[in-house]
Amino acid sequence: MERYAIQRFVTSGQQYFAPAAVFLKEAAADTPSIPTATLEFYMSVPAFGLGTFRLQGQVVIDSVSTALELGYRVIDTAQIYENEAEVSQAIAASGIPRDELFITSKIWIANFAGDRLIESLKESLQKLQTDYLDLTLIHWPSPEDQVPVEEFMR
């Protein structure tokens, strides 16, 4: 097992420093290995993942299936992509245990209000056929602050 200590990263031309993470590279018998970062709270996050923006129907199913076969374990989707059910279909067909995956979805602006937020997350969980998301993001800031950040961050 090889270890790579990472103490800084660069994004959008800016350099940032973060607590050192450890990337683990393990040999897999039948799939390529993608490094993971073990965070301070011992959650392992693969370094690479598949985004599903603009992928629909059989295209998203095939893309997710292929990515999983190649060793990807992070799948990123969003409510606005309207493909959570198809992503779930590909995940289920893969036979990969849920605890080996890192699934991200994003809450769309129409669901920021307090009376919609939790229900929309439950809908996403149902479409994705999972009990939890590993990461839930606010997809886009509320236009013109229609729903104040304080409301959806409670």
Side-chain angles (χ1 to χ4, degrees), residues 27 30-32 57 67 85 111 116 119 126 129 132 138 140 144 146:
D30 57 350
T31 58
N111 298 322
R116 268 301 295 141
E119 191 58 37
Q126 178 191 22
Q129 298 179 24
Y132 66 97
I138 300 298
W140 198 269
E144 299 172 9
Q146 293 172 3

Side-chain angles (χ1 to χ4, degrees), residues 19-77:
V22 177
F23 283 81
L24 304 174
K25 186 173 183 179
E26 300 175 8
D30 57 350
T31 58
S33 180
I34 293 178
T36 62
T38 302
L39 306 178
E40 284 187 38
F41 48 91
Y42 305 105
M43 179 179 197
S44 181
V45 182
F48 301 102
L50 176 73
T52 61
F53 179 56
R54 294 191 178 169
L55 301 179
Q56 298 291 316
Q58 194 62 44
V59 172
V60 74
I61 293 167
D62 293 345
S63 297
V64 171
S65 296
T66 300
L68 294 171
E69 288 171 15
L70 292 172
Y72 283 67
R73 293 301 181 260
V74 173
I75 306 297
D76 174 78
T77 186

Side-chain angles (χ1 to χ4, degrees), residues 50-53 55-56 60 64 74-88 91 102-107 124 127-128 133 135-137 139:
L50 176 73
T52 61
F53 179 56
L55 301 179
Q56 298 291 316
V60 74
V64 171
V74 173
I75 306 297
D76 174 78
T77 186
Q79 294 171 346
I80 193 65
Y81 300 170
E82 297 182 348
N83 64 11
E84 290 172 318
E86 289 86 356
V87 166
S88 170
I91 289 171
F102 191 95
I103 302 174
T104 300
S105 195
K106 301 173 207 75
I107 303 166
S124 289
K127 289 175 184 176
L128 288 163
L133 292 170
L135 180 62
T136 303
L137 300 171
H139 198 142

